[in-house]
Every structure is written in structure tokens, then in C-alpha cells.
Amino acid sequence: MTTAPAGPWTTGRIAEVERPTDRLVRLRLEVADRVDHLPGQHYVVRLRAPDGYTAQRSYSVASDPVDPLLELMVECLPDGEVSSFLHDEARVGDVLELRGPIGGWFTWTGEVPAIGIAGGSGVVPLVAMLRYADRLGLADRLRVVAVGRTYADLPYAAELERRGAFLALTRENHHDRVAHPPYPDELAPLVDGVERAYVCGSVGFASFATRLLGEVGVLARTIRVEQFGATG
Amino acid sequence: MPVTRGFFGRRDRRERSHRLPPGQYDAGADWPVLTAEATPVIRPEDHTMTVDGLVERPTTWSWPELQALPGSSYAGDIHCVTTWSKLGTRFAGVSVDTLLEAAGPRPEAAYVMAHSTTGYTTNLPLADVTGGRAWVVWEHEGRPLPVEHGGPARLLVPHLYFWKSAKWVTRLELMARDRPGFWEQNGYHDRGDPWLEQRYQGDP
Ligand SMILES: Cc1cc2nc3c(=O)[nH]c(=O)nc-3n(C[C@H](O)[C@H](O)[C@H](O)COP(=O)(O)OP(=O)(O)OC[C@H]3O[C@@H](n4cnc5c(N)ncnc54)[C@H](O)[C@@H]3O)c2cc1C
């Protein structure tokens, strides 16, 4: 295991903002004194009020490490302090305090064949891994299962599908797949030969996905979990 | 550092429960299970607890011996670095003070490494596990601690982020110098005070 010191506090200037749905905001930032990240790492965003009050939250990096901009995809939680500020207020030119990259555990650089299973905004770190894998011609070493309520709700749905991810939608039929969480027999062929599994999403989703991986024979000690998002 | 244009904090921020550290939300009745690693299967009767390292009398307690020690309980809040807090929850077991008293820390002991059966480790300043602030617990809300929450026994250090409360704890190793544990090697803070938001290495 390698030590992964977190980068120091710095700032990022918002270069692009896009709101692909009314719940999501995609930010692309120019980061001062940027430290290269590994696919799967995250940054901390800190907001600062005029009276000195601060709020900080973690956000996974979606961009490939060679992308000149740092890309974050934030899901707006009802009444969420940081996510709703970023969703409702953030605009091009704003400067945010940032710290990162952070995390040495939930990273993948192609060293082992792997599977990633993510729910909702948990797909973000897997998007970074897929973009990285594609660029380096390692796409066959990373299989991704992305779980969302509907196609429109799932961040990066079109890109994930284009990069060969298996989409399991739970509230909407998709092509000829009837709405349902992933079934063991859908997962089984995808775990063949994998040596590591990445699970990312809400706490509830992470326990579901960890159980499912166990059912198809993935050894628990090869599973790496990152939890965030609503509990449901 | 710059003020964030348009940010004034949540409208209700001053009224938010004074029990919630910054960045935490109230998980209510839920107790999320965080599984960065596999849940081991441990029969309580096979579980032992050891205090060693810089102590006068390295000591190991069998499960019945541990249960026979004077009991101690905690009722209060716990805070996980993944942003949930659980308010008003109850645990019972033995105070770490009781274990340390039996083993006799040497004067140079200043840090503790907690080890679990899975190989998980987490480091703490000795001062954070003494003075009635840390427990080895095997009961939650009057019932045996479920294995997914660290049963048969886990460390409980409720004033620090919960990754410090090592599940399936079997050993407290006293050390003169601090050494990073599992998450700490992966960038997490050596102390982890939720009120200071000591999440990552380099936080205040
Ligand atoms: C390593 C890591 C990576 C992350 N990456 C991303 C990412 O790429 N994209 C993304 O959108 N988010 C990500 N998150 C989650 C993010 O850090 C925030 O928790 C989220 O944006 C909510 O913050 P907020 O200030 O908007 O909500 P808050 O003001 O903290 O909370 C608002 C309300 O929402 C509810 N709530 C908040 N957080 C949770 C939760 N975790 N579970 C259940 N209910 C909750 C609470 O009821 C709360 O009252 C990540 C988290 C971690 C730890």
C-alpha cells in the first residue's frame, strides 16, 4: 500500500459550468498549482462566507488526469448546503477553495483487471477510470456496471454506455431490459477474471453491491468501497 | 483564501443542532455499515483482547475474562467521516482505562495502534483513549454488537471520527512514536476530531 498524502489547499477558477439536468451540475475548473490525480481520487471543495463561515465537501474527479481542466459532477441534494450552492449559484469565473487530490485506496491505474459498480453520482470516479483506460488502451481491463433510477437521472449515462458500461436502470426499462437492480446472472460474466472490485455510491447501494459481488464469487478482500450520497 | 461569491451558508446554519459537527448530517435511526473490507466471522468465545507494546505487563484477556471486568457504558453521539452522525446511541463494554490499568503503560508510551482481526489498524494519541473517553464495547442498545458493526467487540472512541473506532478489535499496541494506520496511510488524518473537520492529512 502506498502512502497518498493529500495535496495542499489551493484554488480553482470555474472555466465551464453545465447543468445537464435540473439535479446535476458539471463544473470544469482551472486549478492553481495542480497536483496530478489518479483515477478514483477526489477533491475537497470549501466555500467561504463573508463572515468567515466555511463549509467543505468531497467530490470525486471525473476527468482524465491529462485533461487540462478538473471536472466535477455534483448532484444537488434537496436543501444540501454545498451541492445546492454549486448547482444554483456557481458560474464561470468564480473561484473556489480546493484541496486535493485525496485518497490512495479507491484508485485504479490499470494494474489489475477490475470491475466497478456504481450507483447514481457514485459513477463519477468510474468515469475518470474509464476515460483513463480508453486513452491508454486498457479498456478491456475495466468493466463498469452503472446503476441509476432513470437514464436521465444517471450522470454520464450516454458516455458510460458509449464506453461499454452495463447500465442497470431501476425505474425505467432500457432497450429490452426491464427496470430492476442488476441481477447476479447479469454480473457473473462481468466478474470473470477480475482481481479487484470498486463499489461506489450511497451507503445502502454499497451494501447491496458488495453483497451482489459476493453472490457471484468475488472475494470480499478484493472489494474497495467508497460511500457517499443519500442513504436510500 | 477568497470569499466565495454568493455564498452565505445555509440559512438555518445557526439553528442547526449544536450536536452536529460541521459537514455532518443526522442519520436518524439508521446506522450505516461501512465496509471498506470484508466482514469476518468470529465466534465470541474465540475472541481475545490484548494490550501490549510499551507496557509493564502485556496482558491478554479471554472473552469470559473480558466480560468479567468492571463494565462501563457510553450513551451519546457518533460521527463518521463519510458525513453521517448518529445521535443518542448506547454502547456497553469495558473502559480502555481499565485495560490500561492492568497492563501499566510505560512513561514513554504516547500513542496507540488499534489492531483488528482483519489486519485493519488505526492510530490514536494515548490521551484520546484515556480519561473515560474510550471503550472496548460488545453491546449496542442492550444487544450483542452485530458483526457488521464490529462484533463481537470493537473499539469505541466517540469523540473522534468513527474510523478510529476499529471494528473487531483484538489488540491495543502502545507506542512511543506515532505511526499511520490503514486509512491514515491512505491520506486520512492522524487524529480525526469531527469538530475541527480533521478529515485528511494536513487538515488543521
Ligand atoms: C469521497 C467522496 C466523494 C464524493 N463525490 C461526490 C461526487 O462526485 N458527486 C456528488 O454529487 N457528491 C459526492 N460526494 C458527496 C458530497 O461530498 C456531499 O456529501 C453532497 O454533495 C452533499 O453535500 P451538501 O452540502 O449539498 O448537503 P448537506 O448540507 O451536507 O446535507 C443536506 C441534507 O441532505 C442530506 N444528506 C447530505 N449528505 C447525505 C448523505 N451522505 N446521505 C444521506 N443524506 C445526506 C441530509 O439529510 C442533509 O440534511 C462525495 C463524498 C465523498 C465522501
Side-chain angles (χ1 to χ4, degrees):
Chain A
M1 188 163 48
T2 51
T3 302
W9 283 103
T10 178
T11 55
R13 187 186 152 277
I14 300 179
E16 296 169 28
V17 184
E18 189 201 338
R19 293 179 174 81
T21 72
D22 58 5
R23 292 286 306 281
L24 294 173
V25 58
R26 188 167 73 114
L27 300 175
R28 307 229 331 132
L29 300 134
E30 281 160 17
V31 179
D33 306 314
R34 178 152 159 211
V35 175
D36 287 346
H37 68 269
L38 302 174
Q41 286 188 302
H42 63 274
Y43 267 69
V44 175
V45 173
R46 181 162 71 186
L47 308 180
R48 186 178 291 274
D51 64 356
Y53 170 82
T54 58
Q56 64 172 60
R57 301 288 185 273
S58 305
Y59 294 99
S60 302
V61 181
S63 37
D64 185 330
V66 300
D67 189 330
L69 298 178
L70 183 82
E71 180 171 319
L72 308 179
M73 177 72 92
V74 177
E75 184 178 353
C76 182
L77 290 188
D79 149 86
E81 183 165 33
V82 173
S83 64
S84 49
F85 169 83
L86 294 173
H87 185 269
D88 301 343
E89 274 292 328
R91 58 179 192 233
V92 169
D94 285 352
V95 174
L96 303 174
E97 285 177 56
L98 292 178
R99 171 133 191 257
I102 294 174
W105 172 245
F106 200 84
T107 59
W108 181 80
T109 47
E111 63 280 20
V112 290
I115 185 166
I117 306 187
S121 55
V123 300
V124 177
L126 299 186
V127 167
M129 294 179 192
L130 280 175
R131 290 174 172 179
Y132 170 91
D134 261 8
R135 174 171 56 87
L136 293 179
L138 299 169
D140 58 329
R141 290 171 80 79
L142 180 66
R143 298 166 197 164
V144 169
V145 175
V147 184
R149 283 183 297 269
T150 65
Y151 193 84
D153 273 349
L154 182 68
Y156 298 105
E159 177 173 345
L160 285 163
E161 207 165 30
R162 193 175 70 245
R163 293 190 193 275
F166 177 76
L167 264 46
L169 303 180
T170 60
R171 305 273 171 85
E172 180 180 271
N173 298 347
H174 184 54
H175 303 311
D176 34 8
R177 186 180 185 279
V178 173
H180 200 279
Y183 290 102
D185 64 346
E186 291 174 315
L187 198 61
L190 301 177
V191 301
D192 195 32
V194 304
E195 290 168 34
R196 194 177 295 159
Y198 294 89
V199 171
C200 189
S202 67
V203 168
F205 177 81
S207 17
F208 162 76
T210 307
R211 253 192 337 268
L212 186 66
L213 284 166
E215 276 177 50
V216 298
V218 173
L219 294 180
R221 70 179 152 74
T222 66
I223 302 176
R224 300 187 175 194
V225 184
E226 182 122 282
Q227 274 142 334
F228 58 81
T231 320
Chain B
M1 282 292 187
V3 164
T4 314
R5 184 198 58 77
F7 179 68
F8 301 97
R10 198 201 305 269
R11 246 171 288 116
D12 63 354
R13 71 172 143 113
R14 276 173 237 283
E15 292 93 74
R16 289 200 90 202
S17 165
H18 64 281
R19 287 166 71 173
L20 277 185
Q24 299 293 111
Y25 74 97
D26 180 357
D30 286 347
W31 186 4
V33 176
L34 298 180
T35 43
E37 52 181 358
T39 302
V41 182
I42 310 158
R43 298 190 311 164
E45 53 275 30
D46 297 337
H47 192 84
T48 60
M49 183 68 215
T50 296
V51 176
D52 63 5
L54 292 174
V55 295
E56 302 296 342
R57 301 169 292 280
T59 308
T60 296
W61 290 266
S62 67
W63 186 246
E65 285 166 350
L66 203 57
Q67 316 279 309
L69 292 171
S72 174
S73 63
Y74 170 75
D77 308 339
I78 56 178
H79 312 288
C80 177
V81 71
T82 61
T83 73
W84 56 265
S85 290
K86 190 167 169 57
L87 306 180
T89 187
R90 310 173 74 89
F91 293 90
V94 61
S95 167
V96 169
D97 291 317
T98 306
L99 304 179
L100 291 176
E101 209 175 293
R106 298 234 192 102
E108 62 273 26
Y111 296 92
V112 175
M113 185 71 85
H115 298 259
S116 89
T117 46
T118 61
Y120 178 87
T121 52
T122 188
N123 54 314
L124 302 118
L126 187 58
D128 274 311
V129 299
T130 51
R133 298 206 292 167
W135 291 260
V136 170
V137 294
W138 48 82
E139 254 182 52
H140 176 245
E141 303 294 352
R143 321 194 58 134
L145 185 66
V147 64
E148 66 272 24
H149 290 301
R154 77 180 297 159
L155 188 62
L156 176 71
V157 192
H159 68 287
L160 299 180
Y161 281 128
F162 220 46
W163 88 81
K164 296 287 179 181
S165 294
K167 294 180 185 180
W168 315 298
V169 70
T170 52
R171 178 175 169 220
L172 296 178
E173 176 196 3
L174 274 65
M175 317 182 290
R177 268 191 219 128
D178 203 9
R179 199 169 85 216
F182 175 79
W183 287 118
E184 294 82 5
Q185 291 176 44
N186 279 289
Y188 281 78
H189 201 274
D190 282 315
R191 179 137 187 277
D193 182 335
W195 295 95
L196 300 174
E197 277 197 272
Q198 291 174 333
R199 297 173 190 273
Y200 306 107
Q201 293 286 346
D203 278 346

